[in-house]
Amino acid sequence: MEDLRKDYSFQKNKEYEETFTSNNTNLILDLIGADKYIDLSQTFLDIDAGIDGVAKIEKENIGIALRIRKPEYFKYRYNFTLGHHFDKDNSQVHAILNALRPDVMSPNFILQINGVDEKGYCEECVAIKIQTDVFARYLKELIQNNTLDNLFVPRLASYEFQMKDVFYETNSGVDYYYIENNTITKTASNDDN
């Protein structure tokens, strides 16, 4: 079985994410519904709180956790991912659970885009935007039921959530997008259910 994480480099992955961000500000604004996006990649807010950027929506500032996935993960294009096992300090699960704590900063939304090429282009991508506190309650339930580890894929070193499960296991706060040639062509929201 192929280990997709064997050549993983944190720095190369950050550069890949930053390429997407710098080349697709308008797409990010469309996906978030924002007026402005400020990249905070590799700042202490990114490293310590999981906030990759701030979106300005009218007079509100919203923290965004941005996840960008390469086309080589095509098999997982309909998945939402959280990196690193819960037992590790750098697990993205911890940053999400912080949304349940009023005394700690955490992202307001997680935006994951699957299928972005090395130049930051979305020829054919799938995106999911999740309200962090809604997803944190779902995560907490999985932890309490001892079922979170059923979703961990060791060879990817991440938790893999099928988007359809996230969509139906939460009663609001989840939006899906289908993107062709850097343009949103279809959307769905579980707020409509």
Side-chain angles (χ1 to χ4, degrees), residues 64-79:
I64 305 295
L66 192 60
R67 312 248 187 281
I68 309 300
R69 212 167 204 186
K70 298 176 182 178
E72 66 194 61
Y73 295 94
F74 185 78
K75 173 181 175 183
Y76 302 98
R77 72 188 175 281
Y78 296 114
N79 284 8

Side-chain angles (χ1 to χ4, degrees), residues 9 14 28 38-39 47 52-53 60 70 74-75 80 102-103 108-109 114 116 118 128 130 142 145 154 156 171:
S9 161
K14 277 315 241 181
I28 292 171
I38 299 166
D39 183 23
I47 295 164
D52 295 293
E60 295 181 6
K70 298 176 182 178
F74 185 78
K75 173 181 175 183
F80 172 71
D103 60 330
N108 301 89
F109 287 95
N114 297 333
V116 179
E118 293 292 337
I128 183 172
I130 299 176
L142 292 173
N145 295 337
L156 298 176
N171 57 11

Side-chain angles (χ1 to χ4, degrees), residues 80 82 93 96-97 100 130-148 151 160-172 174:
F80 172 71
L82 292 178
V93 171
I96 303 307
L97 290 175
L100 300 175
I130 299 176
Q131 191 174 320
T132 311
D133 60 341
V134 171
F135 190 68
R137 288 191 288 275
Y138 174 56
L139 266 180
K140 188 175 180 182
E141 185 179 306
L142 292 173
I143 291 166
Q144 289 172 339
N145 295 337
N146 293 317
T147 55
L148 180 62
L151 302 171
E160 295 292 327
F161 302 85
Q162 289 190 3
M163 287 187 185
K164 65 181 173 88
D165 292 339
V166 173
F167 192 80
Y168 291 112
E169 290 295 331
T170 57
N171 57 11
S172 68
V174 178

Side-chain angles (χ1 to χ4, degrees), residues 6 11 34 43 45 47 82 85 87 93 121 125 148 165 171:
K6 67 181 181 237
Q11 189 58 39
T43 66
L45 281 174
I47 295 164
L82 292 178
H85 194 273
D87 292 344
V93 171
Y121 189 72
C125 296
L148 180 62
D165 292 339
N171 57 11

